[in-house]
Every structure is written in structure tokens, then in C-alpha cells.
């Protein structure tokens, strides 16, 4: 078997551009899958809700998903001035912020569970915090409000249009507040173009996709998944065939939330053709939250490109790129978005975004990072992430931890640690009996070494605790028996 | 007549709290309305789309609302590194940011048209830009991601819950990305509680409300408006009576986008009772984008409070409070939001927000400003805005400009200036033949004086140009006639 490092390097596409779409056709076929043997039933939750799950101990069935629990988070009330002088108030505020900053630094240091690149330095942009930068409305049409950053926004959109191979005069898009907004937008564009369409998405799809279906009053089909986390192609084919009279709006996961699984776009497009859906009867939205920005650099991955009949792609900006604020990009075809923007009766506006006011700082963060890193820097980040993910997997295996890593992913899935304090310390996202580490550009090898050492110690403690409990139970039973015997003696 | 200053001071409520709901019952009845006599037909657009309107000359019918025009905004492409050294690249980036900062400073200086408070100083918070702060999911339930600011968020929510008089254990809410998200959320909560409800909103309602109706596949009724911009109560009553078999979801404007008109909540509630809607058959969402934060301090305004049977209130944070990023607050009743969060089949999550990832810096900006200013500081800001709005109105009247100011508003509406360069210089939001200035805390009297002087000069230039054109036309006609006469002579 190849070493993790060779394996990771082999996965990399040499150049993000110029690689023909054809190159990506022969993908994913015979490549080995590393499947975690689940403890107990392989109970993948219907969707992947981990973002909103509270900090909690091992899942107890009746505790899962109760109604909203109020105020579990401690509050920091707005300070009342009362008799304090302005100077005293400022000192109190400074103290609050200083304590909070310290907490953030510690939490940032011990973070492995979410796909956020926490390694960024936007010092040269600090002066911009003085301004209320707002790209309200359409990115391509200047509003009268002059304090905007549309020039940066369009620069970034052009970069992505190039990445996903769509001509400058054929795309429309904008910088969103997060991956969810990208999904909400993509699916809305799909529905407006195919009003009677049924939404298809796999059970391991991010929950925002099913949230969209509910918001938009769409019929939705929840498709089974393979053990890897990919959509179950046979089940998808069967559902498409059954519903053949109605158009299809399909969500493709370019990296699922929990397992980092990549649905095979080419295979899904082939299934659509087989089941008799012509191009004007389907709309494919690609949810590329994290991996949408890594995949163009990965050789064997199914290429996401507008040269294929897809409708939209969304990706997060605070994930692989990294930013102080959540943000993202959605790109669709100009001709599709006209279904949203031409309906004067309802919208009477050229705003085809979901939000009206839009954070104008986000495009500048993205522009800055893309400019500083360039394609080559991004490629190197992807390389380091994949290499470190393979190394983490190897280390965990060596430590006797059951582990899975999808070939094209930097999301390392492993059995959920039993110590809750450990889960919280490393901010691991857990679902059912699995946890994951998402290896991002800020996750260094030495941090991973520290994590594995800590995990081994945690498991040892947990094993010791379990052993002691068994011994204590045995002792209690024996004592009971002894007492019983001596009672009998009485 | 009172002087503008006395008038503004009289409008102020002495204390935001403790004022009983009863106090606000006798409102708005006989108070004078200042109605602008419109030039030509009083053609209020069906909705108020100005946020997304491009910079354009006087409205030409066939030019209005064409499809999306591509790339009217100049782009600033992501810089290509090519042969540049790291140092050269950094110098280029610094130059771009320096030029851009200069532009922002100028644009911020000459800004009067949008309801954004551009006067803030968050220097003590600058160190926080190093962190990727994300309050993903529900504010009240901590997720495993530790780099969040939920403690600040809940502090701010508590402040608003107190402002709008709802008990701490009866509300739910969150800090949104903007006013639109607040509206999208409020109306979604309404629809989930009254699935068959019809949405009612006035023609001058912010366009996001009708966008919501379309997104959510709801039936919507567009209600006429009075000249002041308020909803036409008689028309609303008639529509409610006609549709009496179906529940009502009503959007109340607490300050319309263009004219700053405040719908009379008490009157609308009375109409609902008259037309036979019991409380479980209606849901009222109050869109308080700008004025929702001013109204608690204004004596004669209809009080927005959860002591009345309303469902939700939303307000923007970057408007009256001011912030570098768009943000807002939405508060609803805990029991209403359960309709969203309990549906495990669809959501399978306790995330009842619209967005999943949420900007964690926004709550800190709001917490900081509310703490520094306190209720007293907010009251003073409101006082200054109302006083300056009345002074601006008086100055414009003195200058012979037709002008309107709703009694409870700081939005001064006046006839649209004819020079487009002037409109752009001051970033005036225009709709049809009117423009407005929103007097915010950062708008000083001396800025208004400069603006009025500039407007007078612009009008003089425009008048001169018009006069010269008439003279030139007359001369051309005379010359033609002369030529005709001499031709005849030939």
C-alpha cells in the first residue's frame, strides 16, 4: 500500500484549469472505499443536523430532538450604566472583551471538528471596519448607496466562474452569508424554473436542503445513502423512474457534512438520461460547502463544471478560504435566474438574492485571500489537508481506533470518544456513534499529534473507568451475595 | 405653529419603559399629516424596490425594471501573481485597499439617502477580527463549535425582549443578517402557524415581504396606501372581510422604506376584531427595519409591544444602531416558533433560523453600542434625529422645495432633484418623482446645511440649463423659420 503522503500527492490535479472535462469522466469507479464498521446498527440519521445539536452526552433516544430548550447558553446582558462614570464603563467593557478574546484564542487553538479554516490574517484590512459596507441588492447593478464593495464581489465571482468553467456573460451569482443561503438560492432557482419539480437529496445531505423544501412547499424525496455517505444510485434511479412524469430538482453533495462523501455527478447525470429526463426537465444544484473549493484541485474527483448540464453551485467562503464571518458564493446560469427576476408582479425589483442587504466585508476577505494565495497557494493548501488527513487516519489506525476516510476527502471519521470533556475540548462534531475531524489548512501535523496523544489518554482513562466500574459492580454483587449468605446464616 | 425643535422634543417619550400599553391607545388620530403634492399622477410603485434600483436618470417608463443588466458594476479582478514577488504583490494589494478606503471615506461623508447610522467607532473590538466567530444554529443551544458569541447575542435579545415587553421565558429570537431575514423569518413563522393564511401588506411595504410570499407559495393581498404611506385601513378592512374564511397574516410597517410611514397597529388590531378574526386566526408581523428602534422613544407613536396580540417584530441593527455589517434582530413568541422546530420529519434539527451559520461579530457590535449608549443615549439619538429632520424640512420649505415629513419619522421626502450627479453625490434613494433623506444619528445639522445649499445651487443650475434649452430651441425654430422664409424667397 502507498504511504499516506504518496497517496495524497497522487490525488492532486496538477493545474486547476485546462484539465478537460473528459479527464474527469473515469472517476470513482474501482477506487477503494474505507468504510467504518459501525458499532451497533449503522444508524445514519435521516439528515445531518450536527450543526445545531447541543453539547450533549452520548445520545439517548428519548433525549434526541426535544423542543427548543431555552437559555442553555449563558447570557452576557447589556451592561447597565447606573452610577458608573463613562471611564468606569469603558474599563468594564474592555475587561469583558479581554476575557472574551482569551476564550476565543483558546477555543480557536483547540478546534478540529468543523470545516472552518481558522488560519487567516486580515490585518491590512482592519481600517475597513470603520465603514458600513453593504452590497444591497444585485451585485451587478450599482445601487445609489455608495459604501459598497461590488467591485471586489464581482472580481471574486469572476474567479469562481472561471473555476467552474462558465462564461462571463452566461453566469449570475452573488456572495452569500453562508452555505445555507447558497443552498436556499440554488433550490429556489430550481423551483422557479421547474415549479412542479420534486426535490431529490440523500439522507446525509445538509439539513438546509430539506429546510428549503419545507420553506418552499416542495415535494421532497429523501434518498438512501451508501456506507461511504454517497447517495445510493440505485435508490435514486428507482425514485426518478417512479416519478418520471414530474421534473426533478437534484441536490448533489460535493462533500457531505459528516463523512465528506462526494456524490458522483457524472453518474447522476447518466441516471437522469437513462430514466428519460431531458435537460429541460431537470435542475442540478451542487452543494459544495467545503469541498467545492478543494475538488477542482483533486485529480480523481468528479469535476464540477458548468460544461455539464448543472444549474448552480454553492460553496462557503469561511470554510476552505477562511474568514472572520460566515460567507459563501453561489453561481448559477444567467438564463435560470431570469425566472426569479422577471416576475415584476411579485418582486418588482431586480434583486434576485435571498437577502437584501449583504455584508460588503465578506467579498474583500475573499478577494484578499484569493489574491494572496493564488491558484498555486490554494492547491498547496489542498495538498497539505489531504496529506494530513491521511496521516491522521494512519495514526488513529495505529492507535487501534476504528476510522474511515473517503478517498477524496479530508474529513476523518472515527468512533465517537466516550469522554464528553474530550469531545468538548476539541470541539468535535458528533452524530450518533461517530465523530469527525475536518483537516483544514490551519490544522498542522503537530496539532494532530497532540490530538491523537490526547485521544489515547482519554481512551485509556475511559477504559480504566469502565474496568473499575465492572470491578465495583462485581464487588457489590459479591458483597450482596455475602450479605445474603450471612442473612441466611442468621 | 411650534418651531421644529419644540415639535421634535414634544414627540419624545420620557422613558422607554414603564409607559403602559394603555398610554399608546389614543394615538395618531387627529395629528396633522404633511402630504407631498405629487407632480403628475401620484404613482406610488406597487412596492418599494429602491434598494435594488440601479443608478439611473429620471425614470423612463420603458426603462423601468428590465431584466438583469450584467456587469454594470466595474469589477476588480482577483490579482494574478505572474512574475511579481510576494513583496510586490503585497504592495499592490496595499495600494488597492488604500484607494478603496479613500473612496469609502468620501462616500461615507456624502451620504444621506439610506437609513444607516454611519457614525460608530468599534476600535476596542478590532482584535476580534482574528477569529471566525459563528453562532451557527439556535442562539439558546450551544453547539460544539466553541468560537461563538452566543452570550452577547442573548444579552442583546434580552434587551430587545425588555424593549418590546415580552417575558424572558416566553420569547424566542435571534440576530439576523439583515432586516430582510427578519421579515422572511416572521412571515415563515406566521405561515407555519397558519398554513392556509393569506398575507396582507401595503403597497409601500418593503419588497422582501412580497418576496417571502412568493418564496413560501402564499397567497398575498397588496393593500392600497394613504398619501402618507400608511396602509389604507378601509381597503384592508374590505379585503379581510372578503377573505374571512381564511386566516390572516398581516405585515405592519413600523416606518415604510420610502416615506417612513408607520401603520397604526392598534387600528389594524381593531379592524381584525371587527371583521371577526379571533386571535388564533391571525398573525401580525411588525417590520420595524429602522423605526422599530426609534418608536419606543417617541411619545405619540403606536407602541409596538408583545402585550398586544402580535406574533413577531424585526428590526435592523446596522440602521439606527449602526454597524460595519448588515444585521438585525427578530423576536417572536416561543410557542409560535415551536411550529417550525418540532417538525422532526423535515428539519430534524433544532435550528429554527433561516440561515444556518450566523455572523458572530454582529451581536458584539450591538452589545457594545447598547452598553455604551444605554437607553438614555438611544433616546438622545432619537431626539437629535427628529429635531434635525424637522429642521431639514423647514429649510427645504424655505428654499421652495416641496417636502413631506411624517410626524413620527425622520425620513424627509421631497421632490426628486433633476441633476443626476447631485443624486449620486448625496446617494439619495429615489422612487418615481420623489427622493428622501433619512436623518440618522450621524447626520449633523451642518451636513444638512451643506446639503441644502448644494441642492439650491443644483436647482439653480438645472433651471438655468432648462431656460437656456428653451432659448436655444426657440432660436432654432426662429432660424428654421427664417431659413424657410429665405428659401421661399429663392
Amino acid at each position: 500500500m502507498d504511504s499516506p503522503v504518496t497517496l495524497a500527492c497522487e490525488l492532486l490535479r496538477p493545474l486547476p484549469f485546462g484539465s478537460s472535462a473528459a479527464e474527469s469522466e473515469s472517476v470513482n469507479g474501482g477506487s477503494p472505499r474505507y468504510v467504518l464498521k459501525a458499532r451497533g446498527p449503522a444508524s445514519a440519521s435521516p439528515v445531518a443536523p450536527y450543526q445545531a445539536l447541543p453539547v450533549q452526552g452520548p445520545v439517548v433516544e428519548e433525549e434526541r430532538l426535544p423542543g427548543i430548550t431555552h437559555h442553555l447558553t449563558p447570557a452576557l446582558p447589556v451592561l447597565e450604566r447606573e452610577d458608573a462614570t463613562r471611564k468606569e464603563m469603558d474599563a468594564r467593557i474592555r475587561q469583558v472583551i479581554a476575557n472574551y478574546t482569551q476564550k476565543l484564542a483558546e477555543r480557536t487553538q483547540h478546534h478540529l471538528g468543523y470545516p472552518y479554516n481558522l488560519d487567516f490574517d486580515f490585518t491590512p484590512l482592519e481600517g475597513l471596519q470603520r465603514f458600513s459596507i453593504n452590497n444591497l441588492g444585485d451585485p451587478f447593478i450599482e445601487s445609489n448607496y455608495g459604501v459598497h464593495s461590488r467591485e471586489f464581489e464581482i472580481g471574486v465571482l469572476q474567479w469562481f466562474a472561471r473555476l467552474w468553467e462558465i462564461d462571463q456573460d452566461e453566469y449570475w451569482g452573488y456572495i452569500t452569508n453562508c452555505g445555507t443561503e447558497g443552498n436556499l438560492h440554488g433550490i429556489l432557482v430550481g423551483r422557479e424554473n421547474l415549479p412542479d419539480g420534486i426535490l431529490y437529496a440523500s439522507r446525509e445531505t445538509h439539513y438546509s436542503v430539506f429546510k428549503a423544501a419545507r420553506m418552499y412547499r416542495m415535494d421532497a424525496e429523501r434518498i438512501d445513502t451508501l456506507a461511504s455517505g454517497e447517495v445510493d444510485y440505485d435508490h435514486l434511479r428507482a425514485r426518478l423512474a417512479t416519478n418520471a412524469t414530474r421534473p426533478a430538482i437534484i441536490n448533489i453533495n460535493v462533500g457531505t457534512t459528516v463523512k465528506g462523501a462526494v456524490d458522483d455527478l457524472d453518474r447522476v447525470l447518466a441516471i437522469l438520461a437513462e430514466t428519460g429526463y431531458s435537460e429541460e426537465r431537470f435542475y442540478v444544484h451542487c452543494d459544495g460547502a467545503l469541498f467545492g473549493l478543494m475538488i477542482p484541485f483533486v485529480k480523481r474527483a468528479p469535476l464540477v463544471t458548468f460544461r455539464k448540464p448543472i444549474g448552480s453551485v454553492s460553496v462557503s467562503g469561511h470554510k476552505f478560504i477562511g474568514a472572520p464571518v460566515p460567507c459563501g458564493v453561489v453561481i448559477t446560469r444567467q438564463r435560470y435566474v431570469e425566472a426569479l427576476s422577471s416576475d415584476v408582479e411579485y418582486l418588482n425589483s431586480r434583486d434576485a438574492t435571498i437577502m437584501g442587504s449583504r455584508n460588503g466585508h465578506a467579498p474583500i476577505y475573499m478577494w484578499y485571500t484569493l489574491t494572496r494565495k493564488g491558484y498555486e497557494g490554494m492547491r498547496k493548501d489542498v495538498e497539505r489537508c489531504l496529506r494530513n488527513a491521511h496521516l491522521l487516519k494512519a495514526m488513529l489506525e495505529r492507535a487501534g481506533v476504528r476510522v474511515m476516510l473517503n478517498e477524496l476527502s479530508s474529513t476523518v471519521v472515527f468512533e465517537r470518544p466516550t469522554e464528553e470533556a474530550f469531545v468538548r475540548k476539541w470541539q468535535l462534531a458528533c452524530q450518533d456513534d461517530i465523530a469527525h475531524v475536518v483537516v483544514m489548512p490551519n490544522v498542522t501535523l503537530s496539532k494532530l499529534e497532540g490530538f491523537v496523544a490526547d485521544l489515547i489518554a482519554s481512551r485509556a482513562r475511559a477504559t480504566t473507568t469502565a474496568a473499575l466500574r465492572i470491578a465495583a459492580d462485581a464487588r457489590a454483587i459479591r458483597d450482596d451475595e455475602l450479605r445474603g449468605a450471612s442473612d441466611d446464616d442468621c
Side-chain angles (χ1 to χ4, degrees), chain A:
Chain A
M1 186 186 147
D2 292 335
S3 85
V5 180
T6 336
L7 188 60
C9 290
E10 263 184 14
L11 288 171
L12 289 176
R13 236 185 269 280
L15 269 175
F17 300 113
S19 55
S20 76
E23 190 188 334
S24 70
E25 300 299 301
S26 62
V27 183
N28 242 358
S31 57
R33 303 249 173 248
Y34 305 94
V35 177
L36 177 72
K37 283 182 194 73
R39 205 167 29 177
S43 57
S45 262
V47 293
Y50 79 100
Q51 279 201 325
L53 280 184
V55 173
Q56 56 176 21
V59 178
V60 181
E61 200 51 46
E62 52 279 17
E63 274 180 11
R64 203 189 292 169
L65 294 167
I68 288 172
T69 318
H70 225 66
H71 286 205
L72 289 186
T73 313
L76 186 57
V78 169
L79 305 181
E80 298 289 344
R81 189 147 177 191
E82 289 158 7
D83 297 329
T85 63
R86 160 69 61 209
K87 221 170 144 185
E88 286 163 352
M89 278 300 280
D90 283 350
R92 284 171 66 190
I93 293 175
R94 267 200 309 277
Q95 191 56 52
V96 167
I97 299 299
N99 295 345
Y100 178 63
T101 306
Q102 210 173 2
K103 181 192 131 187
L104 289 185
E106 186 278 322
R107 295 282 70 198
T108 296
Q109 189 54 31
H110 291 99
H111 175 262
L112 286 177
Y114 290 77
Y116 306 151
N117 180 4
L118 304 185
D119 182 21
F120 49 76
D121 175 8
F122 292 113
T123 312
L125 306 181
E126 256 172 19
L128 300 179
Q129 288 297 309
R130 298 203 316 271
F131 302 107
S132 185
I133 313 180
N134 190 337
N135 293 356
L136 59 177
D138 193 294
F140 299 100
I141 302 171
E142 287 203 10
S143 82
N144 276 0
Y145 182 62
V147 188
H148 66 78
S149 66
R150 281 183 175 73
E151 56 270 55
F152 292 90
E153 183 173 17
I154 297 179
V156 170
L157 292 174
Q158 287 176 343
W159 192 93
F160 279 92
R162 214 179 134 200
L163 188 73
W164 293 326
E165 304 185 298
I166 180 164
D167 283 351
Q168 294 297 330
D169 54 355
E170 283 187 6
Y171 83 92
W172 185 89
Y174 70 103
I175 293 191
T176 60
N177 284 293
C178 55
T180 288
E181 188 177 354
N183 288 342
L184 291 182
H185 195 270
I187 292 162
L188 184 61
V189 172
R191 191 202 72 178
E192 292 299 278
N193 280 277
L194 301 170
D196 192 35
I198 296 172
L199 177 70
Y200 298 81
S202 86
R203 291 187 180 282
E204 299 195 36
T205 297
H206 189 259
Y207 71 91
S208 58
V209 170
F210 293 104
K211 180 157 82 175
R214 182 183 169 108
M215 277 170 65
Y216 302 154
R217 291 185 156 164
M218 297 168 74
D219 290 328
E221 291 261 3
R222 207 180 288 273
I223 307 298
D224 291 340
T225 44
L226 306 175
S228 66
E230 270 175 86
V231 67
D232 179 333
Y233 303 97
D234 294 334
H235 190 216
L236 177 64
R237 181 184 291 106
R239 299 312 304 156
L240 283 169
T242 304
N243 303 324
T245 55
R246 286 172 63 187
I249 296 164
I250 300 189
N251 177 80
I252 289 279
N253 292 313
V254 188
T256 57
T257 317
V258 175
K259 296 181 187 163
V262 178
D263 292 341
D264 189 334
L265 171 61
D266 301 309
R267 210 160 149 189
V268 170
L269 291 173
I271 290 169
L272 280 163
E274 286 163 32
T275 44
Y277 288 80
S278 55
E279 285 188 18
E280 68 282 5
R281 290 189 59 248
F282 68 80
Y283 180 98
V284 172
H285 171 69
C286 301
D287 175 9
L290 162 67
F291 209 60
L293 253 172
M294 299 174 72
I295 210 167
F297 303 95
V298 179
K299 237 189 271 175
R300 286 189 241 162
L303 202 64
V304 171
T305 164
F306 279 92
R307 292 191 192 171
K308 302 175 185 174
I310 61 172
S312 44
V313 185
S314 66
V315 76
S316 296
H318 59 297
K319 289 184 179 155
F320 197 72
I321 297 180
V325 297
C327 54
V329 167
V330 64
I331 298 265
T332 181
R333 296 181 196 274
Q334 163 79 1
R335 70 169 196 271
Y336 282 143
V337 93
E338 277 157 14
L340 264 78
S341 58
S342 65
D343 195 318
V344 178
E345 170 64 17
Y346 270 91
L347 287 184
N348 195 19
S349 150
R350 291 192 252 184
D351 184 8
T353 68
I354 301 269
M355 294 296 126
S357 285
R358 297 185 299 105
N359 184 339
H361 294 270
I364 310 176
Y365 295 130
M366 292 178 78
W367 180 92
Y368 178 81
T369 304
L370 295 177
T371 289
R372 283 210 85 216
K373 291 196 173 171
Y375 295 115
E376 190 47 32
M378 299 291 289
R379 206 189 62 80
K380 277 189 186 150
D381 277 353
V382 172
E383 181 182 332
R384 200 168 57 251
C385 290
L386 291 180
R387 189 179 55 220
N388 285 345
H390 279 84
L391 287 169
L392 172 61
K393 175 173 173 276
M395 285 192 284
L396 288 173
E397 275 170 346
R398 214 65 55 91
V401 180
R402 278 168 302 168
V403 60
M404 172 182 105
L405 173 59
N406 271 310
E407 189 200 16
L408 307 170
S409 165
S410 69
T411 301
V412 180
V413 180
F414 54 97
E415 49 185 311
R416 181 181 182 138
T418 45
E419 279 197 327
E420 201 50 34
F422 178 85
V423 168
R424 292 185 75 149
K425 174 178 175 186
W426 291 96
Q427 300 163 61
L428 302 179
C430 301
Q431 185 177 302
D432 297 336
D433 55 357
I434 63 175
H436 73 201
V437 161
V438 188
V439 180
M440 298 298 288
N442 65 315
V443 176
T444 59
L445 194 50
S446 73
K447 184 178 278 191
L448 290 176
E449 285 167 352
F451 168 75
V452 172
D454 207 11
L455 177 61
I456 292 169
S458 164
R459 284 162 65 92
R461 275 193 305 273
T463 310
T464 309
T465 309
L468 291 178
R469 199 184 309 123
I470 291 170
D473 288 351
R475 209 173 291 121
I477 292 167
R478 188 202 55 190
D479 290 352
D480 277 353
E481 285 172 357
L482 286 179
R483 240 194 314 276
S486 67
D487 285 351
D488 287 348
D489 288 346
C490 289

